[in-house]
Amino acid sequence: MAPWSSLAYGSFLTLISYAVLWALHASHLLYLALPAISGFLIVGPFLAIGLYEKSRRQAQGQQVAFSDMLVFWPSSRGQLAYAGLLLGLLILFWLRAADLLYALFFGLIPFPGAEEALTNVLTTPRGWALIATGTLVGGLFAASAFAISVFSIPMLVSRKSDALTAMGLSFVMTVQNLRPMLAWGVVVGFGIGLSAVTGLVGLVILFPVLGHGTWHAYQAIAGDRK
């Protein structure tokens, strides 16, 4: 399958993830690191568009270089950007919700700083309740994003469609294939969790695996029918 370009893509995404964490640190927002990492479940399908393109071209017997995965013309260019914007707004809503949840459990007090905030969350009963509530709320965000994007983004890469139609079809196909898609969602969530445990280094391998796997799931369920 010529894995080196996929591994390079995974490395590129890992570097971007580190850049995001650095930006949060520089902006004194490092306390949002955990929600940001979990938010990867929301924007992950969009970030994998290069992997989808590689899978699509390889199915046609073409050779794909790393540069081809970064610079290409999807079939639904403007609509793909629109879908990415919608997912980006969703993750911003999630980060804001995480901020409000912290205030709900710890009160409207001056923010103590990232290190103390993480200590509060991980070592206090209120923090444990916040983790449980945040997991539930974040899961709803992630499940909604997963349902509307898991098939729509590969669809917009491979054929012409508008973003809202593609997202609607993605939701319908997810619901119609609920059991396998729930299983795939668990696999994706486990992969992101494992990547977080390894300091995001695991993304180098796991992200390409999940990206190519999502494309093949799309092909198996949707058949890329016109």
Side-chain angles (χ1 to χ4, degrees):
M1 191 184 72
W4 301 114
S5 58
S6 297
L7 293 175
Y9 195 90
S11 301
F12 179 67
L13 263 294
T14 302
L15 292 176
I16 290 179
S17 300
Y18 284 133
V20 170
L21 293 178
W22 178 85
L24 290 176
H25 175 72
S27 304
H28 305 290
L29 296 173
L30 192 58
Y31 65 94
L32 291 175
L34 291 178
I37 292 173
S38 63
F40 208 93
L41 292 169
I42 297 177
V43 297
F46 181 79
L47 296 177
I49 57 175
L51 298 168
Y52 303 151
E53 177 65 8
K54 177 180 177 179
S55 293
R56 186 187 71 82
R57 292 192 188 187
Q58 284 190 325
Q60 298 174 352
Q62 301 178 28
Q63 296 294 322
V64 186
F66 175 58
S67 59
D68 296 325
M69 301 170 68
L70 296 180
V71 181
F72 63 94
W73 293 99
S75 296
S76 301
R77 293 182 286 276
Q79 294 300 312
L80 183 61
Y82 180 55
L85 175 62
L86 292 177
L87 293 176
L89 290 174
L90 189 57
I91 196 172
L92 288 178
F93 287 142
W94 161 231
L95 291 176
R96 183 56 177 166
D99 207 1
L100 293 175
L101 283 173
Y102 186 90
L104 178 65
F105 279 87
F106 289 96
L108 296 174
I109 58 176
F111 190 73
E115 184 176 349
E116 187 175 343
L118 289 176
T119 300
N120 290 340
V121 169
L122 297 175
T123 63
T124 67
R126 284 187 181 184
W128 301 332
L130 174 59
I131 290 175
T133 305
T135 299
L136 177 61
V137 175
L140 293 175
F141 273 91
S144 301
F146 179 80
I148 65 175
S149 65
V150 65
F151 294 128
S152 64
I153 304 301
M155 188 183 302
L156 292 171
V157 168
S158 62
R159 60 186 173 97
K160 289 185 177 181
S161 179
D162 67 273
L164 295 180
T165 297
M167 287 180 167
L169 288 173
S170 178
F171 183 84
V172 170
M173 287 188 287
T174 300
V175 172
Q176 290 178 342
N177 299 273
L178 192 57
R179 288 187 178 180
M181 295 314 298
L182 282 175
W184 184 242
V186 170
V187 171
V188 172
F190 178 78
I192 299 302
L194 184 60
S195 297
V197 170
T198 61
L200 300 184
V201 175
L203 279 178
V204 174
I205 297 176
L206 290 171
F207 193 76
V209 170
L210 295 175
H212 289 304
T214 297
W215 171 265
H216 289 293
Y218 163 68
Q219 286 290 294
I221 292 177
D224 202 22
R225 54 184 179 274
K226 303 293 183 181

